[in-house]
Amino acid sequence: MKIVYCIHSLHHSGGMERVLTTKVNYLADHYGHEVHIALRKSEGNPFFTLSSSVICHDLQANSNSEHQKKLTSLLMLLRPHITISMYGSEFKFLYKIKDGSKKIVEFHFTKYYLSHLVNGIEHLPFRFLHQLKAWLLQKKEEKYTTYYDKVVLLTQADSELWGNKPNMCYIHNPLSFRSEEVSPLLNTRIIAVGRYIAQKGFGLLIDAFSTIAIDFPEWELVIYGEGQDKKLLEHRIKHYHLEKQVLLYPAEKNIQKKIIESSIFAFPSIYEGFGLVLTEAMECGLPCIAFDCECGPKEIIIPNISGFLVENKNLEELASRMKLLMSDLQLRKKMGSMGKEQVSQFYIEQIMRRWNQLFVELNS
């Protein structure tokens, strides 16, 4: 088949870019599909390595109208069997393009992500008005989803939030790598990975760690990422005088190596679409701690078996679970081993089989 993915760009180190790269490489190299990526505007080289079989088209579109015009021209030229929106600006018009392809939208958030975003902003003036705007935008998005042949969500929980509609299904994100090596879990290091934004909860993680850091002076918390809240996180670290124990690092291409060098994985997101880095940490044999947010971690971690699910934003419980794992090597090894076994359900062969089956069904 000829398949086109639409995304703004690929130069960021985010989960969506990582997942898309993993999937298109597999579709091209293992299934032999002709795979194209339509970039609205490339802002640099792809952060993750693309297969040489995948063809990128840089539309260099500076406005939504220009994006629609250029993407329409490209699709009319390519005439693909499947066109997929990664929920960029094309989401609002892709279904209108009469190129003959089946139209899919991938929703990498949760249904109420805008409401969660507004509620998560501290000291927001006129919060009620922002909440109303978020609700209206979510209703508008819901209308757009009815125009697509298929809307693919990331979790069963989110599918239920949407009402399990006939044109919707869920497919988990595929694990982006396989690791023969696992962490010995001996290094006194907690690792977290993600963008430096409020949603990811790193400020809350630092708050929780600050309450136990004095009892574990040999332990450090390392956070890999990039984003707008870096200065706020640095200020928080200085506030607690934790400059030697809490360290911020840039986004890392070889995150597998950094995970293996650590002993506990922390995932403090207050809302999520899925939680790809959780699966990566489990593949490397790390026990995981995550907030039990609306969607995501609860479909990855088996509570008290492969990790801990903590009540959302409960800092005392988060600190308690970190302390428990920091104090008990055997518990770390037991949970890490169970996670390594469990995570096989997210191996790319299983996930991409479901995607390929969906493509076949839509074109039959």
Side-chain angles (χ1 to χ4, degrees):
M1 294 185 197
K2 188 181 293 186
I3 302 166
V4 177
Y5 281 87
C6 305
I7 192 170
H8 187 279
S9 67
L10 284 173
H11 73 288
H12 285 300
S13 61
M16 190 182 299
E17 291 82 0
R18 190 176 188 85
V19 167
L20 176 60
T21 302
T22 300
K23 291 196 298 189
V24 296
N25 288 350
Y26 197 88
L27 288 169
D29 295 339
H30 292 266
Y31 280 107
H33 294 312
E34 181 182 327
V35 184
H36 299 255
I37 302 177
L39 305 170
R40 171 168 170 158
K41 189 173 185 180
S42 174
E43 299 173 59
N45 293 325
F47 188 87
F48 303 105
T49 303
L50 276 175
S51 165
S52 58
S53 300
V54 176
I55 305 163
C56 282
H57 306 266
D58 184 2
L59 300 180
Q60 282 293 309
N62 294 307
S63 65
N64 289 343
S65 59
E66 186 178 11
H67 188 200
Q68 182 171 356
K69 180 180 179 181
K70 289 186 173 182
L71 183 57
T72 300
S73 296
L74 177 65
L75 294 181
M76 295 303 288
L77 175 66
L78 293 176
R79 295 286 180 172
H81 298 91
I82 300 281
T83 307
I84 303 170
S85 166
M86 299 293 287
Y87 199 71
S89 57
E90 74 284 339
F91 170 63
K92 296 180 180 179
F93 63 76
L94 180 62
Y95 64 90
K96 298 179 182 178
I97 301 176
K98 306 301 183 183
D99 60 310
S101 67
K102 298 294 184 179
K103 304 298 193 302
I104 299 174
V105 60
E106 287 188 31
F107 200 72
H108 284 253
F109 314 94
T110 66
K111 182 179 181 182
Y112 300 116
Y113 76 102
L114 287 173
S115 295
H116 291 312
L117 176 63
V118 170
N119 294 333
I121 300 174
E122 297 180 11
H123 314 300
L124 180 66
F126 308 108
R127 186 179 300 275
F128 171 75
L129 292 178
H130 289 285
Q131 289 172 331
L132 177 60
K133 182 179 180 181
W135 182 81
L136 291 171
L137 286 171
Q138 285 165 179
K139 295 300 288 184
K140 193 173 183 180
E141 288 173 347
E142 190 168 354
K143 180 181 178 182
Y144 280 123
T145 62
T146 63
Y147 303 139
Y148 282 83
D149 295 292
K150 210 71 177 180
V151 178
V152 182
L153 310 168
L154 292 180
T155 63
Q156 181 178 352
D158 199 35
S159 182
E160 290 169 0
L161 290 176
W162 283 93
N164 294 315
K165 295 182 179 177
N167 73 326
M168 293 185 176
C169 67
Y170 73 91
I171 303 177
H172 294 312
N173 278 335
L175 186 58
S176 51
F177 59 77
R178 297 278 280 273
S179 180
E180 292 185 10
E181 183 182 3
V182 296
S183 171
L185 307 177
L186 297 174
N187 288 339
T188 52
R189 182 179 301 136
I190 301 170
I191 185 173
V193 180
R195 292 177 62 201
Y196 297 152
I197 55 176
Q199 172 202 348
K200 300 300 181 180
F202 295 137
L204 299 176
L205 177 60
I206 293 169
D207 289 345
F209 184 77
S210 73
T211 66
I212 58 175
I214 193 170
D215 298 323
F216 297 88
E218 74 280 12
W219 278 80
E220 63 181 11
L221 168 63
V222 298
I223 307 174
Y224 287 88
E226 58 187 19
Q228 63 194 34
D229 286 355
K230 184 178 180 181
K231 293 292 184 184
L232 294 175
L233 296 178
E234 289 174 339
H235 177 76
R236 222 175 194 117
I237 293 167
K238 289 179 181 178
H239 172 75
Y240 291 120
H241 307 291
L242 290 174
E243 292 92 336
K244 293 184 179 179
Q245 280 185 271
V246 181
L247 306 169
L248 304 181
Y249 291 107
E252 172 63 51
K253 286 188 178 182
N254 188 9
I255 198 61
Q256 177 182 352
K257 179 176 182 292
K258 301 302 179 182
I259 293 173
I260 290 172
E261 292 171 353
S262 306
S263 296
I264 299 169
F265 191 85
F267 191 80
S269 292
I270 55 177
Y271 66 94
E272 269 297 340
F274 180 62
L276 177 65
V277 287
L278 274 176
T279 64
E280 294 173 341
M282 292 165 70
E283 173 67 8
C284 295
L286 265 63
C288 299
I289 307 172
F291 282 139
D292 189 13
C293 51
E294 192 172 52
C295 298
K298 68 182 67 178
E299 294 182 34
I300 300 173
I301 294 174
I302 299 177
N304 306 318
I305 302 296
S306 56
F308 292 117
L309 288 178
V310 175
E311 181 186 11
N312 209 1
K313 299 185 182 180
N314 188 327
L315 301 190
E316 184 177 348
E317 187 182 0
L318 176 59
S320 173
R321 294 308 192 187
M322 284 194 288
K323 187 175 182 178
L324 181 58
L325 285 172
M326 292 158 78
S327 305
D328 193 335
L329 173 60
Q330 293 309 311
L331 180 60
R332 295 201 297 271
K333 287 184 175 181
K334 183 179 179 181
M335 285 189 162
S337 176
M338 292 302 298
K340 175 70 171 176
E341 289 183 25
Q342 179 202 340
V343 82
S344 62
Q345 65 181 303
F346 304 112
Y347 283 169
I348 192 165
E349 304 94 288
Q350 336 295 16
I351 302 300
M352 296 314 296
R353 189 177 298 120
R354 291 188 62 189
W355 272 107
N356 195 63
Q357 183 180 355
L358 175 61
F359 295 157
V360 171
E361 288 173 358
L362 286 176
N363 277 278
S364 60

